Amino acid sequence: MSKRMLTTVFAALITAAFLHLPLADAGEALPSWREGKAKQSIIDFVSQVARKGSPDFVAPEERVAVFDNDGTLWSERPIYFQLLFALDRVKALAPKHPEWKGKEPFASLLKGDVAAALAGGEKAILEIVMSTHAGMTTTAFEKIVKDWIATARHPKTGKRYTEMVFQPMLELLVFLRANGFKTFIVSGGGIEFMRPWAEAVYGIPPEQVVGSSIKTKFEMRADGPVLVRLPEVNFIDDKEGKPVGINAHIGRRPIAAFGNSDGDLQMLQWTTAGKAPRFGLLVHHTDAEREWAYDRKSHVGKLDKALDEAAVKGWTVVDMKQDWKVIYPPVN
Amino acid sequence: MSKRMLTTVFAALITAAFLHLPLADAGEALPSWREGKAKQSIIDFVSQVARKGSPDFVAPEERVAVFDNDGTLWSERPIYFQLLFALDRVKALAPKHPEWKGKEPFASLLKGDVAAALAGGEKAILEIVMSTHAGMTTTAFEKIVKDWIATARHPKTGKRYTEMVFQPMLELLVFLRANGFKTFIVSGGGIEFMRPWAEAVYGIPPEQVVGSSIKTKFEMRADGPVLVRLPEVNFIDDKEGKPVGINAHIGRRPIAAFGNSDGDLQMLQWTTAGKAPRFGLLVHHTDAEREWAYDRKSHVGKLDKALDEAAVKGWTVVDMKQDWKVIYPPVN
């Protein structure tokens, strides 16, 4: 048997192994999920689409699952972690911007008054983001993000941000991929803020990360070509933007969508409006002790309309306090 | 041994099989390529990056190869096939647009005078594209493209357009994927014009197709959510746009790039400026008998600056007439 034939045989065997993956293994695969409706709904859906012979079997190339990031794969309190990154960058860049001392929202930020800075609303946030996310090459920005994510710590927990990812969701990502799913992030967060660490933390490669973006420009410099990040919004991957982003980057309708807020509503609508079987899931933050508890009245991660629609549409709602044995991965 | 362990073992074996793929097999894998510098340069590069133990070994996840479409994977004469699609659509839609009889570029088109219609330059082309590519849902457009590609025939060869793909390039795509590469299209053509058939024809799934696009808009209708195609340019994936598109969709720098015209120059510059080993290749259309012969003076697929730069940078230039035993796949 030639090596090429061997390869083909192995490919067939590995496919067969996936297709016949005994769903009883799901318990083993999702150890941080308590037995209950939420866990069972995941296992039932995966069984339905991935088990050979199932009447609702879905071809592997169509097994696309999309995940929001903030509040779905990692925490988002007290404010989105990318905004904490931007605030740290303002401090780091302040020596080069003496004018910031007399200019909002920077003046308040540099005095440590985040609330006053953010009182300027979207305009203030946009100014903070553009002044910290644009003006450098894509390569330089990637290094800035990598350095920050490797060292910065959360103001309340003292953990690194990548230690504040949800262990049950990490297990879910692995479980889906083991059953032939391709997993994507579809986040309102910055695409180039997530890509530098998403592969190591979530096992999701850069080409499967969809997010908000600013424009970039190709420039030929003396030492070679670069892409420069411009202070101009390119795309906002939130709310109605999520199905647009999914179509632009993935080009097929997902069969499963995972979110936690009204920003994910249209993504779940778009996903579950496809021909059955489809799966929608919302993470409901109900655990004030181990994480945070918030929903309809929250400024960050507001979950109101989507929670109502989940009841009507039969989407799974994860009760974080009840359904998850642990929140974060064990610290080594 | 549990099924999960078996899966792991198979995964390891299949990886090992790829890594040790004997490069002598390349001759067998590229049967439509004549022995010579072009073919050898491909085999040498793949050996260099994919053979375990090679000092220039590249991890599989970094083995990204990008391909232009028009003129690189299929023909582009007498004009880009997508433009022929647009012209057919003008004819099909004409009964609904009586005003077109008195309005350029439509009036000339409907009289069969393509040259007069295109004399209006980019503005005329944009009008033709928007009137035929926008206004419907993404789902409806996908069906229009699929119906056309299944039935339309090339004015000169009488072949279906998907029969005018280059057999040697199909073999190259397979050869690269067998050696752990992920293959992407990065084309100036419309992303939603290519996706409906790229998977069947090239083995490239929708999420690995990058192209030009118009904007889309999410709408909730009585019978469910749709994405509507708007008559507004979103992104032009050509020239300086190609590295931008690569960064937006793939998020890492390719290690190999394949093109045929000056529209691919920046893509090859961006790819080959990365840390070695990198590979650039241009298809030079030199075969007036079996396909077309054109380069520096051509309006479609102009190859001038990139041809000069290939000599300086050491990119492979395929002489279609000399290097390819066959052009198109055998017709069944």
Side-chain angles (χ1 to χ4, degrees):
Chain A
M1 187 149 62
S2 75
K3 285 201 179 168
R4 174 148 333 123
M5 278 185 65
L6 261 179
T7 306
T8 310
V9 169
F10 286 141
L13 284 170
I14 201 170
T15 306
F18 280 140
L19 297 180
H20 291 290
L21 195 77
L23 271 300
D25 274 14
E28 197 185 302
L30 299 172
S32 300
W33 291 73
R34 285 208 185 87
E35 301 304 322
K37 268 165 54 179
K39 178 176 179 173
Q40 196 57 48
S41 72
I42 295 168
I43 294 170
D44 289 348
F45 174 73
V46 172
S47 165
Q48 193 183 4
V49 300
R51 199 179 50 200
K52 209 177 166 181
S54 162
D56 292 321
F57 182 79
V58 174
E61 64 270 20
E62 295 289 343
R63 287 184 216 153
V64 170
V66 287
F67 289 81
D68 168 58
N69 185 42
D70 297 305
T72 300
L73 293 179
W74 74 355
S75 293
E76 57 184 352
R77 286 291 180 125
I79 52 174
Y80 300 121
F81 294 174
Q82 187 173 359
L83 209 44
L84 295 172
F85 161 76
L87 302 185
D88 281 352
R89 292 302 300 159
V90 167
K91 285 177 213 155
L93 292 167
K96 287 185 188 169
H97 293 274
E99 78 279 9
W100 282 355
K101 280 185 188 158
K103 193 186 164 195
E104 290 299 346
F106 305 101
S108 294
L109 274 186
L110 294 173
K111 277 182 248 157
D113 191 346
V114 175
L118 299 186
E122 276 189 24
K123 188 173 165 289
I125 291 174
L126 201 66
E127 273 195 78
I128 293 166
V129 168
M130 289 307 180
S131 67
T132 53
H133 285 63
M136 70 294 280
T137 68
T138 51
T139 310
F141 185 71
E142 184 182 349
K143 186 177 181 318
I144 290 167
V145 172
K146 279 188 171 167
D147 289 349
W148 182 81
I149 208 88
T151 55
R153 291 187 180 270
H154 188 273
K156 184 182 162 190
T157 66
K159 288 174 180 281
R160 298 207 195 287
Y161 293 101
T162 52
E163 293 168 347
M164 293 180 71
V165 298
F166 302 134
Q167 174 66 22
M169 297 303 282
L170 296 182
E171 294 166 6
L172 176 55
L173 286 167
V174 170
F175 178 59
L176 289 173
R177 291 194 291 257
N179 282 282
F181 279 78
K182 208 163 180 174
T183 51
F184 290 80
I185 291 174
V186 178
S187 168
I191 190 167
E192 300 215 56
F193 174 73
M194 295 180 284
R195 280 173 166 169
W197 49 269
E199 190 157 26
V201 174
Y202 301 134
I204 298 179
E207 61 269 27
Q208 287 163 223
V209 177
V210 182
S212 297
S213 56
I214 57 177
K215 289 195 191 291
T216 64
K217 184 174 178 288
F218 179 86
E219 265 184 34
M220 182 55 76
R221 295 185 175 173
D223 56 349
V226 295
L227 289 170
V228 181
R229 293 170 56 78
L230 305 178
E232 187 185 344
V233 170
N234 179 57
F235 179 64
I236 301 294
D237 191 49
D238 197 29
K239 301 190 175 73
E240 288 83 1
K242 291 207 174 193
V244 171
I246 287 169
N247 185 62
H249 284 259
I250 308 177
R252 40 184 148 210
R253 197 188 295 240
I255 65 168
F258 302 83
N260 77 298
S261 79
D262 284 0
D264 303 313
L265 176 57
Q266 289 82 359
M267 176 168 83
L268 266 76
Q269 289 172 334
W270 176 246
T271 298
T272 59
K275 196 170 139 278
R278 304 277 160 166
F279 188 76
L281 181 147
L282 290 169
V283 174
H284 191 181
H285 292 258
T286 53
D287 197 328
E289 277 184 38
R290 296 185 300 171
E291 206 243 3
W292 282 270
Y294 58 95
D295 47 33
R296 296 182 191 274
K297 307 278 186 197
S298 178
H299 284 292
V300 172
K302 178 177 178 174
L303 175 63
D304 183 36
K305 288 182 190 169
L307 196 56
D308 292 338
E309 193 152 331
V312 177
K313 297 268 177 78
W315 300 335
T316 293
V317 177
V318 171
D319 180 334
M320 187 180 269
K321 190 173 178 178
Q322 295 299 323
D323 289 322
W324 288 358
K325 291 183 199 166
V326 299
I327 306 291
Y328 301 128
V331 177
N332 296 322
Chain B
M1 188 150 61
S2 76
K3 285 202 179 169
R4 173 150 331 126
M5 276 184 68
L6 261 179
T7 305
T8 309
V9 169
F10 287 140
L13 283 170
I14 201 169
T15 306
F18 279 139
L19 298 181
H20 291 291
L21 195 76
L23 272 300
D25 274 13
E28 196 186 302
L30 299 172
S32 300
W33 291 72
R34 286 209 185 87
E35 300 305 322
K37 268 166 54 180
K39 178 175 179 173
Q40 196 57 47
S41 73
I42 295 168
I43 294 170
D44 289 349
F45 173 73
V46 172
S47 165
Q48 192 183 5
V49 300
R51 199 179 48 201
K52 208 177 167 181
S54 162
D56 292 320
F57 182 80
V58 173
E61 63 271 19
E62 294 289 342
R63 287 183 216 154
V64 169
V66 288
F67 289 80
D68 169 58
N69 185 41
D70 297 305
T72 300
L73 293 179
W74 72 357
S75 293
E76 58 183 353
R77 286 291 180 124
I79 51 175
Y80 300 121
F81 293 174
Q82 187 173 359
L83 209 43
L84 295 171
F85 161 76
L87 302 185
D88 282 352
R89 291 303 299 159
V90 167
K91 286 175 211 153
L93 293 168
K96 288 184 187 167
H97 293 274
E99 77 280 9
W100 282 356
K101 279 183 189 159
K103 192 185 165 195
E104 290 298 347
F106 304 101
S108 294
L109 273 186
L110 294 173
K111 277 182 246 157
D113 191 348
V114 176
L118 298 187
E122 276 190 25
K123 186 173 166 288
I125 292 174
L126 201 66
E127 273 195 77
I128 293 167
V129 168
M130 290 307 181
S131 66
T132 54
H133 285 62
M136 70 293 281
T137 67
T138 51
T139 310
F141 185 72
E142 183 182 348
K143 186 177 180 319
I144 291 167
V145 172
K146 279 188 171 167
D147 289 349
W148 182 83
I149 207 89
T151 56
R153 289 186 181 270
H154 188 273
K156 184 182 164 191
T157 66
K159 288 174 180 282
R160 298 207 194 288
Y161 293 100
T162 52
E163 293 168 348
M164 293 180 70
V165 299
F166 303 134
Q167 175 65 22
M169 297 303 282
L170 296 182
E171 294 166 6
L172 177 55
L173 286 168
V174 170
F175 178 59
L176 289 174
R177 290 194 291 257
N179 282 282
F181 280 78
K182 207 163 181 176
T183 52
F184 290 81
I185 290 173
V186 177
S187 168
I191 190 167
E192 300 215 55
F193 174 74
M194 296 180 284
R195 280 173 165 168
W197 49 269
E199 189 157 26
V201 174
Y202 301 134
I204 297 179
E207 62 269 27
Q208 287 162 225
V209 177
V210 182
S212 297
S213 57
I214 57 178
K215 288 193 190 293
T216 64
K217 184 174 178 289
F218 179 86
E219 265 183 35
M220 183 54 78
R221 294 183 176 175
D223 56 349
V226 296
L227 290 170
V228 180
R229 292 170 58 78
L230 306 178
E232 188 184 344
V233 171
N234 178 57
F235 178 63
I236 301 294
D237 190 50
D238 197 27
K239 300 189 176 76
E240 288 83 2
K242 290 205 174 192
V244 171
I246 288 169
N247 185 61
H249 284 260
I250 308 176
R252 40 183 147 210
R253 196 188 296 238
I255 65 167
F258 302 83
N260 77 298
S261 78
D262 285 359
D264 303 312
L265 176 57
Q266 289 81 1
M267 176 168 83
L268 266 75
Q269 288 172 334
W270 176 247
T271 298
T272 59
K275 196 170 139 277
R278 305 278 161 165
F279 188 76
L281 181 148
L282 290 169
V283 174
H284 190 183
H285 292 258
T286 52
D287 197 327
E289 278 185 36
R290 297 184 299 172
E291 205 243 3
W292 282 269
Y294 57 95
D295 47 32
R296 296 184 191 272
K297 307 279 185 195
S298 177
H299 285 293
V300 172
K302 179 177 177 174
L303 175 63
D304 183 37
K305 286 182 194 172
L307 196 54
D308 292 338
E309 193 152 331
V312 177
K313 297 268 178 78
W315 300 335
T316 292
V317 178
V318 171
D319 180 334
M320 188 181 268
K321 189 173 178 178
Q322 295 299 323
D323 288 322
W324 288 359
K325 291 184 197 165
V326 299
I327 306 291
Y328 301 128
V331 177
N332 296 320

